[in-house]
């Protein structure tokens, strides 16, 4: 599969699944890789690639009976080339489609999912707020008020990926009637809905994150997710997608490792390739150790998901551990490249920058640590 898969975990995929991975790898190498640095520099999203990518038919694999192991390796392949593309896909196929698939009624699934799976319609997921991140479960300020067959939404959201161009935005708001969090699918063109691109990012620059304002946005009752009646329902989506972020981290690590390894064989100092130096080999092996341990963890996580026995602490530990190991690994890759590691031309700088965002979203290391801590001790220590 890749230079980073030393223990051949990808051999756990069957022949048909490996063909899916090969198609994704080919697309990422031929279509995304050549323009990734330029798109990142200009902070623009390559919309022209979406119809071609859609032909791979990987959006919504998880909701069509595919194994979690396959969907995980799909995520890995995207992120080993471009974490921005992987994040775009994760928001659309994981968070937005996941919300509809798991919390929507049968009618809602039939109404929205086919066009989202075909990527004719793109989704976003609006939970985080300007004043609320880790405490959003209790601190959600966006409100929903029912007036007959219509809901009126007011509030603000921040860091919402895909929101500047998404057709459907899953907005989470607190019901003024019962104080519970509910989910609503808001059409981008709804009056009172505004998405403003967040500028000056130093990570995942290709991802179009936005600040959203909702001013008396009217949403019909038929667009309220039927199965979302409290934050516990929201948390089921986060549990699933945290595992996806762990796979993202592994992909980012492998991409950095592969570039550092190739560079070490080409770069010469003192008359020979730096790959022949003990200290460089030490850093490469450290990187590979982080990759291998993390890949083993997410593979086992996928197996637990497929067996239907995985819990919050499983995905939380994977997210916390793998993103921390990723942060170390890309730093070592940058160290191997020395000054060349901080420019885009050598294929490392983007991974170093993008890893900072992956490390933080879908729950910080601290919050995921407390989720695991509560599970193993029986004591909540969040506040």
């Amino acid at each position: 599969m890749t230079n980073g898969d030393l223990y051949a975990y990808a051999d756990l995929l069957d022949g048909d699944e490996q063909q899916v991975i090969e198609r994704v790898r080919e697309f990422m190498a031929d279509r995304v890789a050549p323009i990734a640095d330029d798109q990142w520099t200009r902070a623009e999203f390559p919309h022209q690639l979406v119809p071609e990518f859609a032909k791979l038919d990987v959006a919504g694999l998880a909701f069509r009976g595919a194994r979690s192991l396959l969907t995980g390796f799909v995520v890995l392949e995207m992120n080993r080339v471009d974490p921005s593309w992987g994040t775009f896909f994760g928001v659309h196929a994981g968070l937005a489609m996941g919300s509809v698939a798991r919390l929507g009624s049968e009618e809602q699934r039939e109404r929205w999912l086919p066009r989202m799976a075909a990527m004719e319609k793109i989704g976003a997921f609006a939970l985080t707020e300007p004043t609320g991140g880790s405490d959003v479960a209790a601190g959600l300020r966006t409100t929903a008020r029912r007036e007959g067959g219509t809901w009126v939404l007011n509030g603000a959201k921040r860091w919402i990926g895909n929101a500047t161009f998404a057709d459907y935005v899953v907005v989470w708001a607190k019901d003024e009637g019962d104080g519970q969090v509910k989910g609503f699918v808001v059409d981008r063109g709804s009056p009172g809905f505004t998405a403003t691109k967040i500028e000056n990012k130093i990570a995942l620059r290709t991802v179009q994150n936005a600040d959203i304002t909702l001013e008396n946005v009217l949403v019909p009752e038929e667009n309220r997710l039927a199965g979302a009646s409290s934050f516990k329902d929201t948390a089921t989506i986060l549990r699933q997608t945290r595992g996806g972020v762990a796979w993202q981290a592994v992909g980012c690590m492998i991409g950095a490792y592969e570039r550092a390894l190739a560079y070490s064989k080409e770069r010469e100092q003192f008359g020979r390739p730096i790959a022949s130096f003990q200290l460089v080999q030490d850093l490469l092996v450290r990187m590979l150790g982080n990759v291998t341990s993390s890949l083993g963890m997410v593979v086992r996580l996928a197996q637990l998901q497929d067996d239907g026995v995985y819990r919050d602490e499983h995905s939380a530990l994977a997210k916390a551990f793998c993103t921390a190991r990723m942060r170390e690994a890309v730093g070592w890759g940058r160290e191997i490249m020395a000054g060349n590691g901080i420019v885009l031309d050598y294929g490392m700088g983007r991974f170093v920058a993008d890893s900072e965002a992956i490390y933080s979203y879908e729950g910080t290391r601290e919050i995921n640590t407390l989720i695991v801590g509560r599970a193993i001790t029986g004591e909540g220590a969040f506040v």
Side-chain angles (χ1 to χ4, degrees):
M1 284 283 289
T2 69
N3 291 330
D5 187 11
L6 185 68
Y7 285 15
Y9 282 113
D11 287 353
L12 296 171
L13 298 170
D14 64 30
D16 290 340
E17 291 171 330
Q18 290 187 7
Q19 289 181 14
V20 173
I21 298 302
E22 189 60 37
R23 291 197 297 270
V24 173
R25 176 179 297 149
E26 182 177 351
F27 175 85
M28 295 301 297
D30 295 346
R31 307 295 291 135
V32 177
I35 65 172
D37 288 343
D38 182 60
Q39 297 289 151
W40 193 93
T41 300
R42 293 187 289 112
E44 295 181 0
F45 183 79
H47 297 279
Q48 73 276 11
L49 295 184
V50 173
E52 185 177 347
F53 178 75
K55 295 177 182 178
L56 300 179
D57 195 29
V58 293
L61 275 174
F63 317 122
R64 303 200 301 270
R67 289 198 296 168
S68 297
L69 190 65
L70 171 60
T71 60
F73 271 103
V74 167
V75 170
L76 183 155
E77 285 297 329
M78 293 180 197
N79 285 273
R80 68 183 278 263
V81 173
D82 185 6
S84 284
W85 187 271
T87 299
F88 151 72
F89 181 79
V91 170
H92 170 70
L95 289 166
M97 290 186 68
S99 297
V100 175
R102 289 179 170 80
L103 301 176
S105 65
E106 182 177 354
E107 184 277 328
Q108 289 171 331
R109 292 193 294 271
E110 292 176 353
R111 185 178 2 143
W112 288 315
L113 285 180
R115 299 190 72 184
M116 295 178 80
M119 302 190 79
E120 296 170 359
K121 297 291 186 179
I122 300 300
F125 181 92
L127 176 62
T128 302
E129 299 185 343
T131 59
S134 298
D135 67 345
V136 73
L140 205 66
R141 296 187 179 185
T142 299
T143 61
R145 182 180 71 257
R146 184 163 186 174
E147 296 182 353
T150 302
W151 292 84
V152 183
L153 272 56
N154 282 283
K157 300 292 182 178
R158 183 165 173 80
W159 294 116
I160 311 307
N162 301 352
T164 61
F165 60 88
D167 301 285
Y168 305 137
V169 182
V170 179
V171 176
W172 300 93
K174 183 174 292 186
D175 184 353
E176 292 183 355
D178 61 12
Q180 296 296 323
V181 173
K182 294 180 170 60
F184 304 86
V185 177
V186 178
D187 293 330
R188 179 179 55 182
S190 299
F193 175 92
T194 304
T196 304
K197 179 182 175 181
I198 296 175
E199 303 285 359
N200 303 318
K201 294 190 302 175
I202 66 166
L204 298 177
R205 288 175 54 80
T206 306
V207 178
Q208 303 298 291
N209 294 97
D211 285 310
I212 290 176
T213 57
L214 302 133
E215 298 180 356
N216 294 318
V217 176
L218 303 181
V219 181
E221 164 64 12
E222 65 185 21
N223 280 25
R224 179 182 64 82
L225 291 175
S229 57
S230 72
F231 190 81
K232 288 184 178 180
D233 300 314
T234 315
T236 64
I237 307 302
L238 299 178
R239 179 172 65 242
Q240 181 75 28
T241 53
R242 280 194 187 107
V245 177
W247 280 97
Q248 279 190 284
V250 177
C252 182
M253 269 190 280
I254 289 180
Y257 168 75
E258 291 175 341
R259 283 154 181 78
L261 178 61
Y263 180 89
S264 73
K265 296 177 180 180
E266 299 167 358
R267 175 69 169 176
E268 291 190 359
Q269 293 285 278
F270 304 100
R272 56 181 177 157
I274 64 172
S276 67
F277 299 153
Q278 290 181 354
L279 293 177
V280 171
Q281 290 190 8
D282 175 67
L283 291 175
L284 287 169
V285 172
R286 290 188 189 190
M287 293 181 75
L288 184 58
N290 279 14
V291 167
T292 304
S293 60
S294 297
L295 184 52
M297 179 177 282
V298 294
V299 164
R300 180 56 184 154
L301 176 65
Q303 293 170 337
L304 293 172
Q305 290 172 325
D306 289 333
D307 291 342
V309 296
Y310 96 114
R311 301 185 297 274
D312 280 348
E313 58 266 30
H314 294 143
S315 56
L317 182 60
K319 200 282 179 182
F321 179 85
C322 295
T323 55
R325 299 294 76 75
M326 167 197 63
R327 209 180 189 198
E328 288 179 339
V330 299
W332 291 328
R334 206 289 307 164
E335 187 174 343
I336 289 170
M337 291 188 177
N340 288 334
I342 69 169
V343 292
L344 293 177
D345 310 57
Y346 292 86
M348 184 63 66
R350 186 159 45 81
F351 285 103
V352 174
D354 289 350
S355 69
E356 288 301 309
I358 298 172
Y359 180 71
S360 294
Y361 64 54
E362 289 281 359
T364 63
R365 184 197 64 81
E366 292 81 4
I367 289 297
N368 280 297
T369 294
L370 294 178
I371 292 173
V372 179
R374 179 179 60 190
I376 62 178
T377 67
E379 299 287 346
F382 288 91
V383 293

